[in-house]
Amino acid sequence: MRGKWILVVGILSLCFLVTLSAFAELPGGIPREETLIVDQLTGRVGTPSNFNLWAGWRWQDRGLQQLAMEPLWTVDYATGEIIPGLASEMPIYNQDFTQMTVKLREGITWSDGVPITADDVVFTIDLHAQNGNLPYHGPMAEFVSKAYKTDDHTAVVELKKPNSRFHTNFLDRWGCLRIMPKHVFEKVDPVTFEFNPPVSSGPYVLYDYDPAGFWTLWERREDWDKTPTGILYGKPQPKYVLFQAFESAEARILAQLRHELDMAQHTLEGLRAVLEKGNTVRAWRKEWPWVVNIDPCITGIMFNNMVKPYDNREVRWALTLAIDIVDYMAIAFDLMAPVSALHLPPVPAYKEAFFIPMEDWLKNFELDLGNGEKFKPYDPEVPLKLAEAAKKRGYAVPEDPEAIRDLFGLGWWKYAPDVAEKLLKKNGFTRGDDGKWRLPDGSPWKINIVADVNVASHPLRNATAVAEAWRKFGIDVNLSPTEARESLILNGEFEVCDQWPAGEPWGAGVDLSRTFNVWHSSLLTPIGKPVALGPGMAARWANPKLDAIIDKMQVTDPFADIEGTRLLGIEALKVVVEDMPTIPTYGYCGAVAWDEYYWTNYPGAENPYSQPYQHWPNFKYMLPFLQPKKQ
């Protein structure tokens, strides 16, 4: 890994002086000092002229979700808040959750001057309930009895059956059902209409785009103060925002070093390169480990719980205890990510609500090894061990215990190969004279891990690290990166894979229903049939105890009964820990770099006023806080 970084830096050293003055020209002579240029995460747009994000995937991170569309509500995992956008407050449910009322913000308009009203909300819901070709047809048809308005700023949805989480269809977390402009879509075919140029509810409108799909340019609305962004946070500072796709990691690095790219998400090696060579470049953290460590995603390893021997809880636990998490993290992410023993990312809001309150339970949790022998697998000293390993690599690690927990997590599972051996032998496994493990039927134990092909991805990093750990333990492991990874996982045609170990939670509030709902037994899908939800559902696991908790979640109001919702989340986490259907390892980390040559006051770790990514929908809420740097 370090060799690759050195190679990148070497290439940059040769190119740097030649390319430093080669500033790219913006489309139409747009002033560079008034323009924020950002990297587009999903790459080149395949349908450049189509902006109809209601009809299917339309590269929504080209600025559609971040600048043009305001949802009813948005999650911000950095602050732990849910931000009302088009809505003026949180949804209001009746007592039995068969009715949801939405209060809209007053004084907001579409970019063509038409007021945004409850008519738009009712139209959006009705259209999706009726049209089977639209992505949100399923939940709208299943739950909506009727939708209507009581006044211009109040929409009411009557539900066919109780659903205390119906609002989550409209809660933006990198995707949701966004409200449509009724006056536009009532006149067209909503599936074939390209929505070009798009009518915006957000603070920017389309200025221009590349017919080849490499860039999309947006201009700030003159009436930005009639948008939720303007009302909540003020005037967005960049007059223009350009989303740029790059064909290689090296091109992205060079563009940022030439001040042609203000915000970018790099590979870990790319981040090191721009920090090394760019004297105006900074990362989320100004010091090591630099990366964003509050992302609301958890990485790890997934078992197919319908395939033997991974249908056995004790086998799954044995494989977990065969992992030395310090060695694992050194291989997977150079010790730069926070570990998590829970099936949740260790973001600040979740540490407070779940991790810290569960520490005593985790310390006292026991495994039954048989013959009356018990074992407590949780190791709260893991953060200190990771810190010591990082020091040995020459990194500047803080001495304060709380700062160490902030960087490395609160704890993980003990490296206990002797205990793993007892669990396996208890279940009929044997070990040959060669040290290799054999299955209960006497055949050699070989694990095939279906993996991502992207060498810089967190999934493949996890797969590589766990393969090394299990080989060391005496299991033959085959790592199989494949372009067919996604379809194999969704269809259950794998035994172990590098998919996220649990469904991503909302990242704000204490409602964990997004993580656990996919594990309800009613959704279990046989091998050969693709799962409808994921990624946790692809593990094909369920537990009656969890079913009961999920059922209780469905009749608990996450806004009116916050404490009850939190306690249900804790009980659900305990069930998943006990069964270990998948192995959570570390929170996703983003290698974000910001060039401060033109713009400053990014939401770094020292001032996390917003989530830090340019591809998340609440990027628009960051823009009023950026400060232009006069050249």
Side-chain angles (χ1 to χ4, degrees):
M1 199 65 73
R2 284 176 169 251
K4 183 176 180 181
W5 170 52
I6 292 170
L7 176 61
V8 171
V9 173
I11 294 172
L12 290 173
S13 298
L14 293 173
C15 299
F16 189 62
L17 293 175
V18 176
T19 61
L20 184 59
S21 61
F23 287 86
E25 183 178 350
L26 285 165
I30 299 298
R32 176 66 179 93
E33 66 274 10
E34 297 183 51
T35 307
L36 182 71
I37 304 178
V38 303
D39 172 35
Q40 185 171 314
L41 181 71
T42 58
R44 181 180 176 185
V45 176
T47 54
S49 65
N50 196 324
F51 293 84
N52 184 0
L53 49 66
W54 291 280
W57 173 249
R58 293 292 181 267
W59 281 263
Q60 61 194 35
D61 65 321
R62 68 190 294 194
L64 277 170
Q65 70 177 6
Q66 307 101 305
L67 302 178
M69 290 297 128
E70 293 268 11
L72 290 176
W73 305 280
T74 303
V75 167
D76 194 302
Y77 56 85
T79 63
E81 297 177 350
I82 294 175
I83 303 168
L86 297 180
S88 62
E89 58 185 89
M90 292 296 108
I92 303 168
Y93 287 96
N94 65 352
Q95 190 170 1
D96 65 357
F97 306 107
T98 57
Q99 183 188 86
M100 183 186 77
T101 299
V102 178
K103 297 283 188 179
L104 289 181
R105 193 178 296 278
E106 297 187 23
I108 53 177
T109 68
W110 297 102
S111 56
D112 59 5
V114 175
I116 299 173
T117 70
D119 289 322
D120 297 304
V121 176
V122 171
F123 173 80
T124 301
I125 293 172
D126 283 346
L127 182 64
H128 281 77
Q130 297 161 11
N131 194 320
N133 293 315
L134 298 176
Y136 277 84
H137 168 72
M140 296 303 108
E142 179 183 358
F143 286 103
V144 176
S145 174
K146 62 177 178 178
Y148 56 91
K149 74 173 188 178
T150 57
D151 59 53
D152 282 348
H153 298 99
T154 308
V156 179
V157 186
E158 303 283 354
L159 303 177
K160 296 176 182 178
K161 52 187 176 181
N163 185 348
S164 64
R165 304 299 192 276
F166 183 71
H167 67 279
T168 60
N169 292 292
F170 308 90
L171 177 57
D172 205 350
R173 187 203 175 284
W174 234 99
C176 71
L177 176 51
R178 301 180 178 93
I179 303 306
M180 309 171 84
K182 176 179 182 290
H183 65 287
V184 174
F185 276 86
E186 66 182 351
K187 303 172 184 177
V188 301
D189 180 338
V191 176
T192 61
F193 181 52
E194 289 201 336
F195 197 39
N196 184 1
V199 175
S200 167
S201 59
Y204 287 79
V205 290
L206 181 69
Y207 184 90
D208 199 1
Y209 64 91
D210 175 24
F214 281 104
W215 55 262
T216 308
L217 180 64
W218 302 84
E219 182 179 16
R220 186 180 60 222
R221 283 172 56 171
E222 292 185 4
D223 62 343
W224 54 265
D225 56 340
K226 293 183 179 179
T227 70
T229 297
I231 292 171
L232 288 168
Y233 302 109
K235 182 180 179 180
Q237 293 305 298
K239 184 176 181 180
Y240 303 96
V241 180
L242 178 69
F243 288 82
Q244 175 76 53
F246 293 89
E247 291 191 294
S248 69
E250 290 76 16
R252 188 181 300 109
I253 293 167
L254 290 172
Q256 193 152 46
L257 291 176
R258 293 194 300 253
H259 311 302
E260 296 171 4
L261 179 60
D262 299 302
M263 301 179 68
Q265 186 161 342
H266 295 280
T267 64
L268 183 57
E269 296 74 30
L271 177 63
R272 284 189 171 117
V274 294
L275 292 176
E276 171 75 17
K277 290 294 180 181
N279 58 11
T280 58
V281 178
R282 65 154 296 177
W284 163 255
R285 290 180 176 274
K286 292 183 177 180
E287 64 287 329
W288 184 89
W290 308 302
V291 294
V292 178
N293 64 350
I294 60 166
D295 195 287
C297 302
I298 183 69
T299 77
I301 300 299
M302 176 177 286
F303 298 113
N304 187 335
N305 286 250
M306 286 187 176
V307 173
K308 291 184 177 300
Y310 314 102
D311 59 343
N312 185 325
R313 166 185 178 269
E314 293 185 332
V315 171
R316 299 191 297 265
W317 259 110
L319 289 171
T320 303
L321 297 175
I323 296 171
D324 181 337
I325 195 62
V326 176
D327 287 348
Y328 186 104
M329 293 305 300
I331 295 170
F333 208 64
D334 195 19
L335 302 165
M336 293 170 61
V339 296
S340 176
L342 300 179
H343 289 70
L344 280 183
V347 300
Y350 291 155
K351 285 183 180 179
E352 186 70 26
F354 301 107
F355 284 81
I356 294 173
M358 289 185 66
E359 278 193 294
D360 285 342
W361 181 85
L362 288 166
K363 291 174 183 177
N364 292 306
F365 170 65
E366 293 182 328
L367 296 173
D368 183 358
L369 307 184
N371 300 318
E373 186 179 0
K374 306 285 186 179
F375 177 72
K376 294 181 178 180
Y378 185 68
D379 185 359
E381 301 300 313
V382 162
L384 297 176
K385 295 175 183 177
L386 290 167
E388 285 303 313
K391 288 179 183 177
K392 290 179 181 177
R393 291 197 170 190
Y395 295 131
V397 178
E399 297 295 332
D400 178 63
E402 284 306 309
I404 288 174
R405 281 157 60 95
D406 180 52
L407 290 179
F408 298 106
L410 276 70
W412 208 73
W413 308 111
K414 295 173 182 175
Y415 176 48
D418 56 329
V419 176
E421 182 165 340
K422 290 179 181 179
L423 284 171
L424 291 177
K425 288 182 175 178
K426 177 184 174 183
N427 286 275
F429 289 73
T430 56
R431 203 165 194 171
D433 294 337
D434 58 357
K436 298 288 188 179
W437 282 100
R438 287 168 172 72
L439 296 167
D441 65 4
S443 61
W445 190 3
K446 297 181 179 180
I447 298 178
N448 184 63
I449 303 177
V450 171
D452 194 0
V453 295
N454 182 354
V455 295
S457 72
H458 285 287
L460 186 55
R461 290 177 184 274
N462 273 280
T464 301
V466 84
E468 183 66 24
W470 290 344
R471 288 176 186 137
K472 182 179 178 181
F473 183 57
I475 303 171
D476 286 332
V477 181
N478 179 48
L479 197 59
S480 300
T482 171
E483 297 283 356
R485 170 183 176 271
E486 184 173 353
S487 62
L488 290 173
I489 292 172
L490 292 177
N491 284 287
E493 296 168 346
F494 73 97
E495 51 185 321
V496 180
C497 71
D498 58 5
Q499 176 60 282
W500 294 162
E504 299 169 7
W506 293 110
V510 297
D511 180 18
L512 301 185
S513 61
R514 194 173 192 263
T515 292
F516 297 118
N517 284 350
V518 298
W519 275 326
H520 197 281
S521 61
S522 64
L523 299 175
L524 273 179
T525 306
I527 292 174
K529 183 179 178 181
V531 296
L533 300 169
M537 192 177 182
R540 288 170 164 78
W541 168 81
N543 185 301
K545 293 180 182 178
L546 186 60
D547 279 358
I549 296 170
I550 294 171
D551 292 342
K552 288 180 182 178
M553 284 183 174
Q554 293 304 315
V555 293
T556 303
D557 190 326
F559 303 117
D561 189 0
I562 294 174
E563 182 61 8
T565 301
R566 186 184 73 86
L567 293 176
L568 285 172
I570 286 177
E571 291 308 306
L573 288 167
K574 289 177 181 179
V575 173
V576 182
V577 166
E578 289 168 352
D579 256 21
M580 198 61 71
T582 61
I583 306 175
T585 54
Y586 65 90
Y588 179 99
C589 284
V592 173
W594 302 316
D595 184 16
E596 295 186 310
Y597 190 82
Y598 287 103
W599 301 96
T600 62
N601 200 40
Y602 296 99
E606 75 282 1
N607 182 27
Y609 62 81
S610 169
Q611 67 78 35
Y613 295 126
Q614 69 273 12
H615 51 81
W616 273 67
N618 30 340
F619 172 61
K620 51 187 165 282
Y621 302 146
M622 181 198 307
L623 300 184
F625 297 94
L626 294 186
Q627 296 174 359
K629 188 174 182 181
K630 303 299 182 182
Q631 299 303 312

